Amino acid sequence: MATKQRLPWVIVVSLFLINLPAVIDGKIYTKCELAKQLTANGISRTYQGHWVCLAIAVSGLDTSKTTTLPNQTANYGIFQINSKEWCRVGYKGGKCNMKCEDLVTDNITNAIKCSVMIQQSKGFNEWVMWQKKCKGKDLPDITNCGAIG
């Protein structure tokens, strides 16, 4: 009987340990941390509210977020970049010439670069959640983030 009671606990611990690396690799940014990274990657302060709003809307500012979609593609990282057009799983590819796995790290330089390519090509409207949560709405206030430039 004791073995039967321990089995679910062993399974739960095993599943936790299997998923642990994904938890360790990710980071949940604050609005100000993201604004600082956007500045460091050449994003004008004028547009940073849109980028911060987008990241809040699509990932909750979580760099490790991956969303599998019904069409067998997935969205990756803080800006939820789709694997069908923009990146490739396991090797560099797509229009951003990046591995999708490189978009789900706490270093968001690749995610910013690829997202800028998407925005320049298709606009923020490419992200449905930006349209729903950010377009024509009050954007996150990042004015009190200090000297980030």
Side-chain angles (χ1 to χ4, degrees):
M1 199 92 167
T3 305
K4 288 182 182 179
Q5 290 175 346
R6 289 185 182 157
L7 184 58
W9 181 81
V10 170
I11 292 170
V12 170
V13 170
S14 297
L15 290 173
F16 175 77
L17 292 174
I18 289 169
N19 290 315
L20 192 57
V23 173
I24 291 171
D25 289 342
K27 174 179 173 65
I28 297 176
Y29 275 78
T30 66
K31 294 183 305 184
C32 291
E33 286 172 331
L34 178 54
K36 184 176 181 179
Q37 288 300 310
L38 292 167
T39 297
N41 283 278
I43 305 296
S44 166
R45 182 74 179 227
T46 305
Y47 296 103
Q48 288 182 10
H50 288 279
W51 288 104
V52 171
C53 186
L54 170 64
I56 291 169
V58 298
S59 71
L61 300 170
D62 185 352
T63 64
S64 67
K65 183 169 183 179
T66 302
T67 307
T68 303
L69 303 173
N71 67 357
Q72 304 304 310
T73 67
N75 292 336
Y76 292 87
I78 195 167
F79 298 113
Q80 290 293 277
I81 297 168
N82 189 263
S83 61
K84 181 178 181 181
E85 188 171 353
W86 302 102
C87 63
R88 293 293 174 261
V89 176
Y91 61 94
K92 285 186 176 185
K95 291 184 179 177
C96 291
N97 194 33
M98 293 182 185
K99 292 193 317 186
C100 297
E101 296 86 345
D102 292 341
L103 302 171
V104 291
T105 66
D106 61 358
N107 180 340
I108 60 171
T109 299
N110 285 330
I112 292 170
K113 287 178 182 175
C114 187
S115 294
V116 167
M117 290 178 69
I118 297 167
Q119 194 275 331
Q120 289 174 343
S121 172
K122 299 192 174 194
F124 282 110
N125 284 324
E126 177 70 0
W127 288 276
V128 173
M129 290 304 292
W130 177 85
Q131 293 177 45
K132 291 180 180 179
K133 303 280 186 172
C134 307
K135 185 177 184 178
K137 303 217 171 28
D138 289 339
L139 299 173
D141 183 7
I142 55 172
T143 57
N144 293 326
C145 288
I148 61 172

